[in-house]
Amino acid sequence: MKETFDPQLLTEQARGVRRAARQLARQPGSVRDDALQHMAQSLRAHTEAILQANQADLARARHNDLSDAFIDRLRLTPERIEQMAAAIDEVRALADPVGGYDEMWMRPNGLQVARKRIPLGVIGIIYEARPNVTSDAAALCLKSGNGVMLKGGSDAYASNLAVVTAMRQGLRASALPEDACQAIGFVESRAREATTHLLTLSEAIDVIIPRGGKGLIHFVHQHSRIPVIKHDEGVCHLVVDGSADVEVVERVVLNAKTQRPGVCNAAETLLFTRNALGVHVERCLKALARAGVKLHLCETSAAIAESLDIAYTPATDQAYATEFLSLELSVKVVDDLEAAIAHIDRFGSRHSEALLTENYPQTQRFIDAVDSSVVLINASTRFSDGGQLGLGAEIGISTTRMHAYGPMGLKELTTTKFVVLGTGQIRE
Amino acid sequence: MKETFDPQLLTEQARGVRRAARQLARQPGSVRDDALQHMAQSLRAHTEAILQANQADLARARHNDLSDAFIDRLRLTPERIEQMAAAIDEVRALADPVGGYDEMWMRPNGLQVARKRIPLGVIGIIYEARPNVTSDAAALCLKSGNGVMLKGGSDAYASNLAVVTAMRQGLRASALPEDACQAIGFVESRAREATTHLLTLSEAIDVIIPRGGKGLIHFVHQHSRIPVIKHDEGVCHLVVDGSADVEVVERVVLNAKTQRPGVCNAAETLLFTRNALGVHVERCLKALARAGVKLHLCETSAAIAESLDIAYTPATDQAYATEFLSLELSVKVVDDLEAAIAHIDRFGSRHSEALLTENYPQTQRFIDAVDSSVVLINASTRFSDGGQLGLGAEIGISTTRMHAYGPMGLKELTTTKFVVLGTGQIRE
């Protein structure tokens, strides 16, 4: 299974994906959908081979003393493979994002000018241990007419390769070039070297989407000569104004912090404006304490917690800047909405922020002034997700402002070209 | 005038632009328009100071034995400064690209989801000798609510600084933070070092737009840790089918090659399908020869040229790959449209390609199969320009597929954030 890393081979592979992507982009959506159907079928048909490859990865992971949580993410079962196939079917059922015209207008000289949706080209996905990312990402890229270079974690090398082998058979079965989906994986020591080389292939790859922890994102950002769409941390804020409905506040605060604390759109800081002192702060602190949330409190909220006999840690600037990804929350009472916005400016990561209020001018001010990728009014930050916002499937959440900002669906895997229809016009 | 390059100072300047850009983005369009008006007025009022600074640059350029053409591009006159001010007024008159909602939809749980246009943030423009780029680029960036870091060529250092000083006074006069427009220029030896440092400031700058020759573009691409929108070369093709109108062909071919040969959207290669042999090829070769165009001809077209006593050079693969930017043109007769598309695939730079035909299926095939940023039917490639296509002013033509592909106007200096309006929804 060990392979030698050969930069020339990797370059050739990427060029092959580029060629295949051009062919793919020229097919109508029905042909791509047919390929996705074959890919899902092929994944199901290869269940045994994939499980066998996965056993090899699992054995290596145990040998390398990797954590139980890690091994659980790596493990495939017949059910998980069926879920992967079903996810491909779901992507197939989405509307075709390419080929349509976004807009078309007429110039005074009679030229008709339009923007037509086309695939981005070749997308490089660099990710870590979950083998299901392999099939999910490939399905989204191929549905949108893109070629895809998959560089999974080296610990999942055999599993990823088996999944890709199955998917490439699906492409072949629908007479599409199998090179439109290419996996590269180099076990252990040469993996970083291969990734670094991949990140220089700007002639063959149009965009890199890293999916993984901070270390991976940072590495890709430092080394890439290809545009990167980053999915960085989410230090998400909930701002509560005194005018907000008390039931809404308690429900949304609990949901944003506790429904799934380990994800990027969970709330990490709760800001109360001074007019929310009293019922809002008290009810929230009680509910959060009951839910087992560890509280980092400012002086004002700490005084209230003490009166309610609720345990806490004094909040620090470091806590305000922390993405806890766990049942921990910073709480601060600020003077007013402007002070809340200033706090978000200083400590936020521009991911998602919500304001709970019944005051109309505040909603307009918050929407205008907060430049995070998702700004919510009277709703949980947990809705900052492509599926929840109605984009269909999601390839990630971009914290890069270029091209796509916030949750990315199929449309964000496309771009537009200009189409100009004339009758012999020349430029004077 | 010599300054010491201090990386920490440059970092602080960029952070200042970021802070100012946040303030700017929160102002309504009328405030930004007011600032543009003050900027144009201030530029006019500073004419003497700008001319004086320009004299210093010109003296240095002559001392350094720079070419006459270079010195002409560098030279400012009262008329050129008036043109720069008038260009700011024109940008001001364009529609405000920020604040509007692109689309809004309803989710089954009652959440209203919208995409709202917002500025990109801070834009870094790296350019060469023309001082008018300073005011043009700044006006476009500020109109679209962005902060701008301007790094002009070191040979135009004093001129650029004088222009920026005038524009910053205009910002101050409208009570906007002058740091929204910042110039950095480090004379001679330290310029590259300063640019390299600028290209690492990804926390403060959202996108880099280089404007200049291949050397500059390559340098920026190699060193930037910030997303780059490239404006690369244009090896533009004209494809002529036998069905095309002969008058249209002659008119468009001449226009695409000769109206302004030194620009990226001029045609560099003319492809005839075999059914255009005869009248089309003969008329075009004659007209091009009369216009003084140096012809690089394939064997088939060369035989026709010989019969017409037209001078030529045999075409080579290198000629087919060349952006002449002068009165030179490659000509090739290919079998059919598919062969033309294959030639474009191999030699094109994905900038702009035009097909001249009266055959409807060919137009559809060409539009679908050619993935250049601008695809034209029966029109000159010279229309591949933001102003000509109706985008208002143009900041450049992107050959990067990410974010903006093709001519970029004000809208391409913006992005969207999600706005989610709820009534207390939580995620189940």
Side-chain angles (χ1 to χ4, degrees):
Chain A
M1 193 169 69
K2 293 241 178 199
E3 286 188 16
T4 313
F5 163 55
D6 173 355
Q8 193 51 40
L9 175 68
L10 183 48
T11 304
E12 281 308 321
Q13 278 186 325
R15 286 183 184 153
V17 179
R18 165 70 78 203
R19 282 190 297 271
R22 289 226 169 95
Q23 277 185 261
L24 190 69
R26 288 166 184 177
Q27 301 295 330
S30 62
V31 174
R32 282 179 271 121
D33 285 350
D34 186 59
L36 288 168
Q37 189 165 19
H38 280 114
M39 283 164 62
Q41 281 166 0
S42 179
L43 210 58
R44 292 183 177 105
H46 282 75
T47 298
E48 274 313 309
I50 294 168
L51 288 175
Q52 222 167 352
N54 188 242
Q55 284 301 324
D57 283 337
L58 288 170
R60 196 151 32 88
R62 278 187 292 259
H63 176 79
N64 291 344
D65 273 336
L66 295 175
S67 72
D68 287 351
F70 186 94
I71 288 175
D72 181 59
R73 284 199 297 275
L74 181 57
R75 177 177 292 114
L76 290 175
T77 61
E79 294 70 34
R80 285 191 178 179
I81 293 173
E82 171 51 35
Q83 284 164 8
M84 287 160 68
I88 297 177
D89 286 331
E90 278 170 37
V91 168
R92 175 169 55 85
L94 295 171
D96 186 357
V98 303
Y101 285 72
D102 275 17
E103 33 178 352
M104 190 160 200
W105 61 95
M106 181 77 94
R107 296 291 301 151
N109 60 359
L111 281 182
Q112 293 177 81
V113 183
R115 289 181 193 263
K116 185 177 170 72
R117 282 269 150 209
I118 57 172
L120 269 175
V122 175
I123 296 172
I125 313 270
I126 302 179
Y127 55 107
E128 293 177 331
R130 291 175 191 272
N132 66 307
V133 173
T134 309
S135 54
D136 288 356
L140 287 164
C141 291
L142 296 168
K143 171 80 184 182
S144 49
N146 295 288
V148 60
M149 281 291 269
L150 297 155
K151 168 71 186 74
S154 33
D155 297 303
Y157 176 58
S159 312
N160 288 336
L161 201 62
V163 169
V164 168
T165 300
M167 290 194 298
R168 282 166 65 100
Q169 269 196 25
L171 282 167
R172 243 189 343 261
S174 55
L176 283 180
E178 59 186 354
D179 278 353
C181 176
Q182 183 69 267
I184 55 166
F186 302 90
V187 283
E188 340 246 11
S189 64
R190 312 296 297 277
R192 284 255 144 145
E193 203 179 326
T195 305
T196 306
H197 182 69
L198 181 75
L199 293 172
T200 66
L201 302 175
S202 57
E203 295 308 311
I205 302 174
D206 295 286
V207 53
I208 295 284
I209 303 179
R211 290 182 56 166
K214 276 187 201 192
L216 174 70
I217 307 273
H218 182 77
F219 181 82
V220 168
H221 182 237
Q222 283 306 308
H223 291 85
S224 187
R225 305 262 53 80
I226 303 168
V228 176
I229 297 183
K230 274 199 288 185
H231 177 155
D232 239 346
E233 63 178 5
V235 181
C236 301
H237 294 76
L238 267 179
V239 182
V240 177
D241 180 68
S243 69
D245 182 278
V246 283
E247 302 294 334
V248 165
V249 170
E250 184 172 331
R251 183 165 77 225
V252 172
V253 167
L254 277 179
N255 185 259
K257 180 67 252 182
T258 69
Q259 194 244 355
R260 200 170 164 207
V263 293
C264 60
N265 59 16
E268 306 293 8
T269 298
L270 177 58
L271 299 172
F272 291 99
T273 57
R274 196 158 289 282
N275 66 4
L277 281 172
V279 59
H280 286 308
V281 179
E282 282 197 16
R283 278 187 66 150
C284 285
L285 293 182
K286 280 187 201 163
L288 288 162
R290 264 197 312 273
V293 176
K294 182 179 169 195
L295 298 165
H296 298 256
L297 303 184
C298 69
E299 280 187 30
T300 311
S301 52
I304 297 166
E306 279 176 14
S307 75
L308 299 168
D309 209 18
I310 290 172
Y312 70 92
T313 307
T316 59
D317 278 1
Q318 204 196 318
Y320 293 138
T322 299
E323 185 186 27
F324 294 113
L325 296 175
S326 65
L327 282 180
E328 286 188 59
L329 182 71
S330 301
V331 178
K332 189 177 182 187
V333 178
V334 296
D335 278 347
D336 54 18
L337 184 64
E338 293 309 311
I341 292 168
H343 181 99
I344 293 170
D345 269 3
R346 179 165 171 209
F347 294 105
S349 65
R350 321 276 149 198
H351 190 294
S352 302
E353 334 291 342
L355 169 65
L356 309 182
T357 188
E358 304 234 313
N359 176 302
Y360 169 75
Q362 284 192 342
T363 64
Q364 298 304 299
R365 175 64 184 158
F366 193 75
I367 290 169
D368 283 346
V370 174
D371 69 343
S372 303
S373 71
V374 182
V375 180
L376 307 101
I377 304 293
N378 293 341
S380 170
T381 53
R382 291 278 296 117
F383 286 112
S384 180
D385 167 283
Q388 294 295 319
L389 296 181
L391 308 186
E394 173 183 282
I395 190 108
I397 298 180
S398 166
T399 51
T400 303
R401 293 169 73 100
M402 277 262 295
H403 183 73
Y405 190 37
M408 294 176 67
L410 284 172
K411 186 180 175 189
E412 286 68 39
L413 295 177
T414 68
T415 185
T416 58
K417 68 180 174 193
F418 287 90
V419 173
V420 181
L421 304 179
T423 51
Q425 282 88 343
I426 59 171
R427 188 158 164 190
E428 308 294 346
Chain B
M1 197 170 69
K2 295 241 175 198
E3 288 188 16
T4 312
F5 163 56
D6 173 356
Q8 192 52 39
L9 176 68
L10 184 48
T11 304
E12 281 307 321
Q13 278 186 326
R15 287 184 183 150
V17 179
R18 166 70 79 206
R19 282 189 298 270
R22 291 225 169 95
Q23 275 184 264
L24 191 68
R26 289 166 183 176
Q27 301 295 331
S30 62
V31 175
R32 283 179 271 122
D33 285 351
D34 185 58
L36 288 168
Q37 189 164 19
H38 280 114
M39 283 164 62
Q41 282 166 359
S42 178
L43 209 59
R44 292 183 177 105
H46 281 75
T47 298
E48 274 313 309
I50 295 169
L51 289 175
Q52 221 168 351
N54 188 242
Q55 285 300 326
D57 283 337
L58 288 170
R60 196 150 32 88
R62 279 187 291 260
H63 177 78
N64 292 344
D65 273 336
L66 295 174
S67 72
D68 288 350
F70 185 95
I71 287 174
D72 181 60
R73 284 200 296 276
L74 181 57
R75 177 176 292 116
L76 290 175
T77 61
E79 293 71 35
R80 286 192 177 177
I81 293 172
E82 171 51 35
Q83 283 164 9
M84 289 160 67
I88 297 177
D89 286 331
E90 277 170 36
V91 167
R92 175 169 54 86
L94 295 171
D96 186 356
V98 303
Y101 285 72
D102 275 16
E103 32 181 350
M104 189 159 200
W105 60 95
M106 181 78 94
R107 297 290 302 151
N109 60 359
L111 280 182
Q112 293 177 84
V113 183
R115 288 181 193 265
K116 185 178 170 72
R117 283 267 151 210
I118 57 171
L120 269 175
V122 175
I123 296 172
I125 313 270
I126 302 180
Y127 55 108
E128 293 178 332
R130 290 175 191 272
N132 66 308
V133 173
T134 309
S135 53
D136 288 357
L140 287 164
C141 291
L142 296 169
K143 172 79 185 182
S144 49
N146 294 288
V148 60
M149 279 293 267
L150 296 155
K151 168 70 187 74
S154 33
D155 297 302
Y157 175 59
S159 312
N160 288 336
L161 201 63
V163 169
V164 168
T165 300
M167 290 193 300
R168 284 165 64 101
Q169 269 196 24
L171 282 168
R172 243 188 345 258
S174 55
L176 283 181
E178 59 185 355
D179 278 352
C181 177
Q182 183 69 265
I184 55 165
F186 302 89
V187 283
E188 339 246 11
S189 63
R190 313 296 297 276
R192 284 253 143 147
E193 203 180 327
T195 305
T196 306
H197 182 70
L198 182 74
L199 293 171
T200 66
L201 302 176
S202 57
E203 294 307 311
I205 302 175
D206 294 287
V207 53
I208 294 285
I209 302 179
R211 289 182 58 167
K214 278 190 198 190
L216 174 71
I217 306 274
H218 182 77
F219 180 83
V220 168
H221 182 236
Q222 284 306 308
H223 290 86
S224 188
R225 304 262 54 80
I226 304 168
V228 176
I229 297 183
K230 273 200 288 186
H231 176 156
D232 238 346
E233 63 178 3
V235 181
C236 302
H237 294 76
L238 266 179
V239 182
V240 177
D241 180 67
S243 69
D245 182 277
V246 284
E247 303 293 335
V248 164
V249 170
E250 186 173 330
R251 184 166 74 225
V252 172
V253 167
L254 277 179
N255 185 260
K257 181 67 252 183
T258 70
Q259 194 242 355
R260 200 171 164 203
V263 293
C264 60
N265 59 16
E268 305 294 8
T269 297
L270 177 57
L271 299 173
F272 291 100
T273 58
R274 197 159 288 282
N275 65 4
L277 281 172
V279 59
H280 286 309
V281 178
E282 282 198 13
R283 279 187 65 148
C284 284
L285 292 182
K286 280 187 201 163
L288 288 161
R290 266 198 310 273
V293 176
K294 183 179 168 195
L295 297 166
H296 299 256
L297 303 184
C298 70
E299 282 188 28
T300 310
S301 53
I304 297 167
E306 280 176 15
S307 75
L308 298 169
D309 210 20
I310 291 173
Y312 70 92
T313 307
T316 58
D317 279 1
Q318 204 196 319
Y320 292 140
T322 299
E323 185 185 27
F324 295 113
L325 295 175
S326 65
L327 282 179
E328 286 189 58
L329 181 71
S330 301
V331 177
K332 190 178 183 187
V333 178
V334 296
D335 278 347
D336 54 17
L337 184 64
E338 293 308 312
I341 291 168
H343 181 99
I344 292 169
D345 269 3
R346 181 166 169 209
F347 294 105
S349 65
R350 319 277 149 198
H351 191 293
S352 302
E353 334 291 343
L355 169 65
L356 309 182
T357 188
E358 303 234 313
N359 176 302
Y360 169 75
Q362 284 191 344
T363 63
Q364 299 302 300
R365 175 65 184 157
F366 193 74
I367 290 169
D368 283 346
V370 174
D371 69 343
S372 303
S373 70
V374 182
V375 181
L376 308 102
I377 305 293
N378 294 340
S380 170
T381 53
R382 291 278 294 115
F383 286 112
S384 180
D385 168 282
Q388 294 294 319
L389 296 182
L391 307 186
E394 174 183 282
I395 189 109
I397 297 181
S398 166
T399 52
T400 303
R401 293 169 73 99
M402 278 263 296
H403 183 73
Y405 190 37
M408 294 175 66
L410 285 173
K411 186 181 175 187
E412 286 67 40
L413 295 177
T414 68
T415 185
T416 57
K417 68 180 174 192
F418 287 90
V419 173
V420 181
L421 304 179
T423 51
Q425 283 87 344
I426 58 170
R427 190 158 164 188
E428 309 293 346

